Amino acid sequence: MADSPEKNWLQNQDSPQLKPGRDLSEVPLQRLHWAFTKASSFHESQVTWFQGYTPDTEYVSKSSGTIHEFSLSIRPPVDEWALLTGEILNQLSSARDNLFRDVVKRASGFSDEEIRNNFRGGVHWPLCFTEKQWISVMKKYSFIPEVIMDRVRLFQPFRDLRPDGKTPDEEWMKAGASTWARFLNNQDKHDEPVRVTAHHYLGGPVTAESEFILRKQPRQRWDYTDPQSNEPLITIYSEPIEDLRIIAPAIDVVVTAKGPSKIRWDPLNSGLWSALLESQLVINTVYYGREKAQELSIPIMEYAPPKGWTDFRYVLQPGGGYKLTARGNYAQEALNRGFV
């Protein structure tokens, strides 16, 4: 290791601001910009597809007209969307890895070959679920100035706090942007493309075009139904009736991905947005410190979804037909406003 290379690198500052392209590589920022650009295109491709889709409930009558099931056949290009998701997550993960590797290189004075020889398995952005794991990382990279490692520590999963203030368990930490993105990225690279599907459910109570007598309460598909379930939108149990037609005033759709939890299907678009937001904040924090990074952070730009976590909502119009409302393209907005 060279003699205290970090002294010149940090210019003996207690709270250094590192200039991209001079003190640290600007490649992480380039990857971040690419990820936002791709996320913007991804959003537009979804909007285009759903604008061309017309909700139409399929009717399947069973048991001589006493059980009536209504559902939809929503088949967007999820295979293509899965590949796009993998590309975005790969750039976000690589941006952090590249940044941390450059920190290691500049703080140690090692050449690329020396880094390969001294760090078997490579140098990657740390992801620690316990304080004990973080202590091991600190020992491994003891040559990195504490002020820089403190910045890295800010975004470790074990530092996440639940809204109720309780210590998070591993399942909770898996839902965080960093862990979620890293898991899906690793899955995409080493196993198979991210599993993506379009989850749909009713956005309000259904009415019938004709009167009928219920045998028991209808069963409805909810937002927490497994997205890959064959359960119909609604099942109606009635006295025998040959023709039953329904009116669905609102149909909600959310694009989901199979996340790190054993049973969790996570909202994909909001998950990507969280990962983009956090990545911008992480990278700027390592460069400039926490205070400056907060100044440069992207405003939350809260989604203005038609309802809850929904990505797309079809609302039945008085004259017939559905009108589509969708989340905004916040990745493009961040680009337009110069945040990345």
Side-chain angles (χ1 to χ4, degrees), residues 57-62 65 67-71 241-245:
T57 55
E58 284 185 294
Y59 169 56
V60 180
S61 182
K62 295 182 178 180
I67 301 176
H68 309 268
E69 295 181 343
F70 299 85
S71 197
I241 180 173
E242 292 304 317
D243 188 26
L244 178 63
R245 299 178 184 274

Side-chain angles (χ1 to χ4, degrees), residues 86-153:
E87 290 181 18
I88 295 167
L89 293 173
N90 177 258
Q91 292 299 326
L92 293 179
S93 180
S94 295
R96 294 195 193 195
D97 288 345
N98 291 167
L99 185 61
F100 190 71
R101 188 181 188 281
D102 202 38
V103 167
V104 170
K105 183 176 181 179
R106 293 174 188 260
S108 66
F110 284 151
S111 65
D112 290 336
E113 183 178 359
E114 287 173 324
I115 288 179
R116 286 193 294 270
N117 292 335
N118 283 277
F119 300 99
R120 299 296 182 184
V123 174
H124 305 284
W125 178 271
L127 203 61
C128 301
F129 290 89
T130 65
E131 184 81 40
K132 184 178 180 180
Q133 290 176 344
W134 176 250
I135 292 172
S136 296
V137 168
M138 289 286 289
K139 291 179 180 178
K140 181 178 181 180
Y141 299 107
S142 59
F143 53 86
I144 297 178
E146 186 176 354
V147 64
I148 300 300
M149 290 303 285
D150 284 346
R151 294 175 182 180
V152 176
R153 184 180 186 275

Side-chain angles (χ1 to χ4, degrees), residues 73-89:
S73 296
I74 301 181
R75 296 187 179 90
V78 292
D79 290 342
E80 175 187 331
W81 291 354
L83 295 175
L84 286 170
T85 298
E87 290 181 18
I88 295 167
L89 293 173

Side-chain angles (χ1 to χ4, degrees), residues 155-170:
F155 300 98
Q156 296 304 308
F158 74 87
R159 296 192 74 257
D160 292 345
L161 290 178
R162 295 174 59 99
D164 56 12
K166 294 182 179 179
T167 302
D169 56 22
E170 189 163 334

